[in-house]
């Protein structure tokens, strides 16, 4: 059986971002968002900038939990929008509208002590599906012993995108330890010399882990932007029906403003 480490109550509370105008001002509209942990840093920055450039107009409440959590919440009317880190699926509830806001790369990562430089597609598939279980069978690995695969829980959009883009549509093995957020997965890889996992290029760029090339191409914003890197996915804002009101204005600002593009270009990749 795989092991699942879940978000604690304290983490869930800390994962809610309130971005608001000063207390003296009266915000007229609250935009509530839940969903992907991978896009949380980007959406938080965008929301903070939007509040500054649109004073006294809107405030944000942003919670994490996973892309599927966001999908379920917006479909049920519990939030204004969902943060989603995967493409639409046939199984998604009817009537949802996906607005792409940025692209990102999904990087394979190992512990800093394991300076594995590259995996071919077939090697990555073999490791993450559980067929290759020993680091001794992986050329270039400097770790020894059993491979500890670290994955995300089933609600994570990054997991869906990773399996589609880098695992040839195959599923990560059930032997993997599952983490409820990108931050927890990265922490697990940092603490385990035998670990391997996958995170967005934003998390990989924070350091503390070894970023593994895929088919000879480094995982970075630059290679993803150029089209060289294979594991490039999209972040979406998702609404129930066509976005209206404050949600429509915020999405339109993300799509068209120079300020939003600057934020996206800092760590992620603009859609256009």
């Amino acid at each position: 059986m795989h092991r699942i480490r879940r978000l604690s109550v304290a983490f869930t509370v800390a994962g809610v971002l309130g971005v608001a105008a000063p207390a003296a001002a009266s915000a007229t509209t609250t935009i509530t968002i839940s969903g992907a942990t991978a896009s949380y840093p980007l959406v938080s920055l965008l929301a903070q900038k939007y509040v500054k450039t649109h004073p006294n107009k809107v405030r944000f409440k942003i919670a994490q939990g996973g892309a599927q959590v966001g999908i379920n919440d917006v479909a049920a009317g519990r939030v204004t929008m969902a943060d989603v880190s995967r493409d639409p699926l046939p199984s998604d509830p009817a009537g949802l509208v996906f607005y792409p806001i940025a692209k990102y790369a999904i990087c394979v990562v190992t512990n800093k002590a394991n300076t594995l430089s590259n995996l071919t597609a077939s090697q990555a598939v073999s490791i993450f599906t559980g067929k290759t279980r020993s680091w001794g069978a992986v050329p270039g690995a400097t770790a020894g012993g059993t491979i500890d695969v670290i994955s995300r829980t089933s609600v994570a959009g990054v997991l869906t995108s990773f399996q589609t883009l880098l695992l040839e549509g195959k599923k990560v093995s059930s032997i993997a330890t599952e983490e409820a957020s990108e931050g927890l997965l990265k922490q697990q890889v940092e603490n385990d010399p035998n670990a391997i996992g996958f995170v967005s290029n934003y998390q990989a760029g924070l350091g503390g882990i070894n970023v593994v090339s895929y088919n000879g191409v480094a995982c970075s914003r630059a290679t993803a932007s150029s089209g060289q890197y294979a594991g490039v996915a999209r972040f979406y804002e998702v609404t129930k029906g066509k976005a209206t009101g404050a949600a429509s204005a915020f999405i339109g600002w993300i799509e068209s403003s120079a300020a939003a593009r600057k934020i996206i270009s800092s760590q992620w990749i603009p859609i256009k």
Side-chain angles (χ1 to χ4, degrees):
M1 292 289 293
H2 58 255
R3 295 167 289 159
I4 303 176
R5 295 182 62 210
R6 301 188 184 279
L7 289 168
S8 67
V9 173
F11 185 90
T12 302
V13 172
V16 178
L17 172 72
V19 182
S26 177
T28 58
T29 303
T30 297
I31 295 176
T32 54
I33 306 174
S34 68
T37 70
S39 61
Y40 179 79
L42 170 59
V43 177
S44 298
L45 291 173
L46 291 170
Q48 289 165 8
K49 186 67 173 181
Y50 191 75
V51 166
K52 289 180 180 178
T53 56
H54 298 73
N56 308 329
K57 298 294 184 182
V58 66
R59 69 191 300 268
F60 292 83
K61 291 185 178 180
I62 308 174
Q64 302 177 66
Q68 192 60 48
V69 171
I71 289 286
N72 294 343
D73 283 347
V74 76
R78 290 187 288 267
V79 296
T80 312
M81 297 190 296
D83 287 339
V84 176
S85 50
R86 58 154 173 83
D87 290 337
L89 297 175
S91 58
D92 288 332
L96 299 183
V97 180
F98 284 65
Y99 296 91
I101 63 167
K103 294 186 284 187
Y104 70 102
I106 304 172
C107 305
V108 175
V109 295
T110 61
N111 184 273
K112 201 74 172 178
N114 182 5
T115 55
L116 177 66
S117 61
N118 181 68
L119 287 174
T120 64
S122 61
Q123 288 171 334
V125 168
S126 186
I127 289 171
F128 281 96
T129 60
K131 292 180 180 178
T132 299
R133 297 291 296 120
S134 171
W135 280 117
V138 182
T142 56
T146 302
I147 298 171
D148 295 334
V149 178
I150 315 297
S151 185
R152 293 289 308 282
T153 55
S154 61
V155 298
V158 172
L159 171 61
T160 300
S161 296
F162 174 68
Q163 291 174 154
T164 300
L165 296 168
L166 299 181
L167 294 190
E168 302 174 349
K170 297 178 175 62
K171 292 186 179 297
V172 174
S173 172
S174 61
I175 65 173
T177 297
E178 295 181 354
E179 298 291 354
S181 74
E182 284 225 308
L184 289 173
L185 190 153
K186 180 174 180 286
Q187 183 180 65
Q188 184 80 341
V189 173
E190 287 177 331
N191 293 335
D192 182 355
N194 285 352
I196 189 169
F198 54 92
V199 294
S200 68
N201 65 283
Y202 170 81
Q203 284 289 342
L206 295 177
I209 50 180
N210 176 63
V211 183
V212 183
S213 295
Y214 180 88
N215 277 342
V217 179
C219 181
S220 68
R221 193 189 73 84
T223 59
S225 182
S226 69
Q228 295 172 280
Y229 188 71
V232 180
R234 293 188 177 199
F235 289 142
Y236 295 87
E237 292 304 313
V238 180
T239 57
K240 186 177 183 180
K242 186 177 179 180
T244 60
S248 177
F250 179 54
I251 292 170
W253 176 83
I254 295 173
E255 293 174 335
S256 62
S257 76
R261 187 178 183 87
K262 183 177 180 180
I263 292 169
I264 293 167
S265 298
S266 67
Q267 300 287 343
W268 303 273
I269 306 151
I271 292 296
K272 299 178 182 178

